[in-house]
Amino acid sequence: MSKKIGLFYGTQTGKTESIAETIRDLFGDGVVTLHDMSQTDKSEFDEYEYLIIGCPTWDVGELQSDWDSFFPELDSMNFSGKLVAYFGTGDQMGYADNFQDAIGILEEKITQKGGKTVGYWSTDGYEFSESRALRNGKFVGLAIDEDNQSDLTDERVKAWVTQLKKEFAL
Ligand SMILES: Cc1cc2nc3c(=O)[nH]c(=O)nc-3n(C[C@H](O)[C@H](O)[C@H](O)COP(=O)(O)O)c2cc1C
Protein backbone atom coordinates (compact mmCIF):
# COMPACT_ATOMS: atom_id res chain seq x y z
CA MET A 1 0.00 0.00 0.00
CA SER A 2 1.20 3.49 -0.77
CA LYS A 3 1.11 6.54 1.45
CA LYS A 4 -1.51 8.09 -0.77
CA ILE A 5 -4.90 9.19 0.52
CA GLY A 6 -8.22 8.10 -0.96
CA LEU A 7 -11.01 10.63 -0.52
CA PHE A 8 -14.44 9.07 -0.97
CA TYR A 9 -17.37 11.51 -1.12
CA GLY A 10 -21.03 11.68 -2.01
CA THR A 11 -22.83 14.83 -3.07
CA GLN A 12 -26.31 15.88 -4.12
CA THR A 13 -25.96 19.55 -4.99
CA GLY A 14 -22.17 19.83 -5.31
CA LYS A 15 -21.19 21.41 -1.99
CA THR A 16 -19.42 18.36 -0.61
CA GLU A 17 -17.69 17.79 -3.94
CA SER A 18 -16.36 21.34 -3.87
CA ILE A 19 -14.94 20.85 -0.36
CA ALA A 20 -13.39 17.56 -1.51
CA GLU A 21 -11.60 19.36 -4.33
CA THR A 22 -10.31 22.02 -1.94
CA ILE A 23 -8.98 19.35 0.44
CA ARG A 24 -7.25 17.59 -2.46
CA ASP A 25 -5.64 20.83 -3.62
CA LEU A 26 -4.45 21.74 -0.11
CA PHE A 27 -2.65 18.41 0.30
CA GLY A 28 -0.67 19.18 -2.87
CA ASP A 29 -0.01 17.35 -6.10
CA GLY A 30 -0.49 13.61 -6.24
CA VAL A 31 -1.43 12.99 -2.59
CA VAL A 32 -5.23 12.76 -2.60
CA THR A 33 -7.32 10.87 -5.17
CA LEU A 34 -11.03 11.69 -5.31
CA HIS A 35 -13.66 8.96 -5.62
CA ASP A 36 -17.30 9.93 -6.20
CA MET A 37 -19.50 7.34 -4.44
CA SER A 38 -21.94 7.40 -7.37
CA GLN A 39 -19.33 5.43 -9.31
CA THR A 40 -17.17 3.64 -6.76
CA ASP A 41 -16.65 -0.07 -6.15
CA LYS A 42 -15.74 -1.27 -2.67
CA SER A 43 -12.44 -2.75 -3.95
CA GLU A 44 -11.22 0.81 -4.52
CA PHE A 45 -10.90 1.28 -0.74
CA ASP A 46 -8.25 -1.48 -0.63
CA GLU A 47 -5.70 0.76 -2.34
CA TYR A 48 -5.31 3.08 0.66
CA GLU A 49 -4.29 3.00 4.31
CA TYR A 50 -5.31 6.67 4.67
CA LEU A 51 -8.92 7.52 3.95
CA ILE A 52 -10.99 10.70 3.98
CA ILE A 53 -14.76 10.18 3.96
CA GLY A 54 -17.04 13.05 2.88
CA CYS A 55 -20.82 12.97 3.25
CA PRO A 56 -23.57 15.58 3.59
CA THR A 57 -26.65 14.85 5.69
CA TRP A 58 -29.91 14.66 3.74
CA ASP A 59 -33.58 13.90 4.37
CA VAL A 60 -33.35 14.85 8.04
CA GLY A 61 -30.59 12.79 9.58
CA GLU A 62 -29.88 10.46 6.65
CA LEU A 63 -26.85 9.68 4.50
CA GLN A 64 -26.54 11.24 1.05
CA SER A 65 -28.12 8.80 -1.40
CA ASP A 66 -24.96 7.25 -2.91
CA TRP A 67 -23.53 6.61 0.55
CA ASP A 68 -26.93 5.32 1.62
CA SER A 69 -26.93 2.75 -1.21
CA PHE A 70 -23.34 1.75 -0.41
CA PHE A 71 -23.85 1.51 3.36
CA PRO A 72 -24.72 -2.26 3.51
CA GLU A 73 -21.42 -3.01 1.71
CA LEU A 74 -19.49 -1.65 4.70
CA ASP A 75 -20.49 -4.72 6.70
CA SER A 76 -18.36 -6.92 4.45
CA MET A 77 -15.35 -4.58 4.49
CA ASN A 78 -12.30 -4.50 6.77
CA PHE A 79 -10.82 -1.17 7.80
CA SER A 80 -8.21 -2.57 10.21
CA GLY A 81 -4.93 -0.71 9.97
CA LYS A 82 -6.52 2.25 8.20
CA LEU A 83 -6.60 5.81 9.53
CA VAL A 84 -9.91 7.42 8.59
CA ALA A 85 -10.86 11.11 8.64
CA TYR A 86 -14.39 12.41 8.08
CA PHE A 87 -15.88 15.65 6.81
CA GLY A 88 -19.48 16.58 6.27
CA THR A 89 -21.57 19.44 5.02
CA GLY A 90 -24.85 20.31 6.69
CA ASP A 91 -27.23 23.06 7.74
CA GLN A 92 -27.11 23.84 11.47
CA MET A 93 -30.02 26.31 11.34
CA GLY A 94 -32.46 24.39 9.16
CA TYR A 95 -31.65 20.99 10.68
CA ALA A 96 -30.44 21.84 14.18
CA ASP A 97 -31.55 18.47 15.61
CA ASN A 98 -29.68 16.49 12.97
CA PHE A 99 -26.66 18.60 12.18
CA GLN A 100 -23.99 16.47 10.46
CA ASP A 101 -25.61 13.17 11.46
CA ALA A 102 -24.25 11.46 8.33
CA ILE A 103 -20.59 11.51 9.33
CA GLY A 104 -21.57 10.19 12.75
CA ILE A 105 -23.40 7.26 11.14
CA LEU A 106 -20.49 6.44 8.83
CA GLU A 107 -17.86 6.82 11.55
CA GLU A 108 -19.73 4.48 13.86
CA LYS A 109 -19.92 1.74 11.22
CA ILE A 110 -16.38 2.12 9.87
CA THR A 111 -14.98 2.11 13.41
CA GLN A 112 -16.87 -1.15 14.07
CA LYS A 113 -15.13 -2.52 11.00
CA GLY A 114 -11.68 -1.66 12.38
CA GLY A 115 -11.05 1.90 11.18
CA LYS A 116 -9.17 4.32 13.44
CA THR A 117 -10.63 7.81 13.43
CA VAL A 118 -8.44 10.90 13.11
CA GLY A 119 -9.35 14.53 12.52
CA TYR A 120 -11.74 15.27 15.39
CA TRP A 121 -13.02 18.85 15.29
CA SER A 122 -14.18 21.31 17.97
CA THR A 123 -17.83 22.41 18.11
CA ASP A 124 -16.78 26.00 18.92
CA GLY A 125 -18.44 28.45 16.55
CA TYR A 126 -21.44 26.25 15.69
CA GLU A 127 -25.02 26.52 17.00
CA PHE A 128 -27.15 23.40 16.89
CA SER A 129 -29.16 21.22 19.27
CA GLU A 130 -28.29 17.62 18.44
CA SER A 131 -25.91 15.65 16.25
CA ARG A 132 -25.02 11.99 15.84
CA ALA A 133 -21.54 13.20 14.85
CA LEU A 134 -20.46 14.00 18.42
CA ARG A 135 -17.90 11.95 20.38
CA ASN A 136 -16.78 13.24 23.78
CA GLY A 137 -18.01 16.72 22.91
CA LYS A 138 -16.24 16.97 19.56
CA PHE A 139 -17.34 16.34 16.00
CA VAL A 140 -15.94 13.10 14.54
CA GLY A 141 -14.56 15.23 11.74
CA LEU A 142 -14.69 18.54 9.96
CA ALA A 143 -18.18 20.11 9.98
CA ILE A 144 -18.82 22.50 7.11
CA ASP A 145 -21.97 24.60 6.80
CA GLU A 146 -22.16 26.22 3.39
CA ASP A 147 -25.80 27.17 4.00
CA ASN A 148 -25.09 29.50 6.94
CA GLN A 149 -21.36 29.93 7.45
CA SER A 150 -19.74 29.82 4.02
CA ASP A 151 -17.51 32.71 5.05
CA LEU A 152 -15.80 30.36 7.54
CA THR A 153 -15.30 27.45 5.15
CA ASP A 154 -11.86 28.32 3.77
CA GLU A 155 -10.24 28.82 7.16
CA ARG A 156 -11.89 25.68 8.57
CA VAL A 157 -10.75 23.50 5.69
CA LYS A 158 -7.21 24.88 5.80
CA ALA A 159 -6.90 24.32 9.57
CA TRP A 160 -8.27 20.79 9.29
CA VAL A 161 -5.92 19.81 6.47
CA THR A 162 -2.97 21.12 8.51
CA GLN A 163 -4.20 19.00 11.43
CA LEU A 164 -4.62 15.92 9.21
CA LYS A 165 -1.14 16.19 7.75
CA LYS A 166 0.16 15.76 11.30
CA GLU A 167 -2.30 13.03 12.29
CA PHE A 168 -1.65 11.05 9.12
CA ALA A 169 2.07 11.70 9.79
CA LEU A 170 2.66 12.64 6.16
C1 LIG B 1 -34.28 18.28 2.13
C2 LIG B 1 -33.01 18.57 2.85
C3 LIG B 1 -32.69 17.87 3.99
C4 LIG B 1 -31.52 18.15 4.71
N1 LIG B 1 -31.27 17.51 5.91
C5 LIG B 1 -30.19 17.88 6.65
C6 LIG B 1 -29.96 17.30 7.93
O1 LIG B 1 -30.72 16.46 8.43
N2 LIG B 1 -28.86 17.70 8.62
C7 LIG B 1 -27.96 18.62 8.13
O2 LIG B 1 -26.97 18.93 8.81
N3 LIG B 1 -28.16 19.19 6.91
C8 LIG B 1 -29.25 18.85 6.16
N4 LIG B 1 -29.45 19.43 4.93
C9 LIG B 1 -28.46 20.39 4.41
C10 LIG B 1 -27.48 19.74 3.44
O3 LIG B 1 -26.77 18.71 4.07
C11 LIG B 1 -26.47 20.79 2.96
O4 LIG B 1 -27.09 21.72 2.12
C12 LIG B 1 -25.28 20.15 2.26
O5 LIG B 1 -24.25 21.11 2.14
C13 LIG B 1 -25.60 19.60 0.87
O6 LIG B 1 -24.44 18.98 0.37
P1 LIG B 1 -24.30 18.52 -1.15
O7 LIG B 1 -24.47 19.74 -2.01
O8 LIG B 1 -22.92 17.97 -1.24
O9 LIG B 1 -25.32 17.49 -1.43
C14 LIG B 1 -30.63 19.15 4.22
C15 LIG B 1 -30.94 19.84 3.05
C16 LIG B 1 -32.12 19.58 2.38
C17 LIG B 1 -32.44 20.39 1.15
Side-chain angles (χ1 to χ4, degrees):
M1 272 192 279
S2 65
K3 270 218 160 190
K4 300 270 166 70
I5 302 170
L7 191 162
F8 295 80
Y9 70 93
T11 192
Q12 220 62 27
T13 62
K15 290 174 187 153
T16 308
E17 180 170 52
S18 160
I19 305 298
E21 289 167 353
T22 304
I23 292 169
R24 177 196 60 195
D25 293 348
L26 287 170
F27 268 98
D29 281 350
V31 179
V32 173
T33 304
L34 299 188
H35 296 265
D36 183 338
M37 290 307 293
S38 68
Q39 44 203 18
T40 293
D41 183 83
K42 70 177 184 182
S43 63
E44 291 170 62
F45 287 79
D46 297 341
E47 296 166 34
Y48 307 98
E49 59 185 297
Y50 301 91
L51 296 172
I52 301 176
I53 302 292
C55 186
T57 305
W58 276 93
D59 299 325
V60 192
E62 302 291 335
L63 300 178
Q64 182 272 341
S65 64
D66 299 308
W67 269 117
D68 196 50
S69 307
F70 188 83
F71 193 73
E73 303 265 17
L74 292 171
D75 274 324
S76 63
M77 293 169 68
N78 180 5
F79 290 87
S80 300
K82 296 188 196 287
L83 296 184
V84 190
Y86 300 82
F87 75 96
T89 64
D91 172 355
Q92 65 199 286
M93 287 185 72
Y95 300 91
D97 290 338
N98 299 88
F99 183 50
Q100 300 284 347
D101 280 1
I103 53 171
I105 295 166
L106 288 170
E107 193 267 353
E108 184 180 344
K109 174 62 74 181
I110 290 171
T111 301
Q112 281 168 10
K113 306 306 294 182
K116 180 171 178 349
T117 303
V118 296
Y120 290 97
W121 187 249
S122 169
T123 59
D124 291 352
Y126 301 86
E127 274 188 52
F128 61 97
S129 307
E130 290 181 42
S131 174
R132 288 182 69 177
L134 296 180
R135 306 284 184 269
N136 300 317
K138 285 191 157 196
F139 289 118
V140 292
L142 176 66
I144 292 296
D145 185 343
E146 285 287 87
D147 296 276
N148 307 291
Q149 296 181 328
S150 60
D151 52 325
L152 298 177
T153 294
D154 276 355
E155 64 185 76
R156 283 174 170 164
V157 176
K158 275 187 196 144
W160 191 66
V161 168
T162 301
Q163 177 184 335
L164 276 193
K165 284 179 181 170
K166 290 191 195 121
E167 295 185 19
F168 279 154
L170 293 176

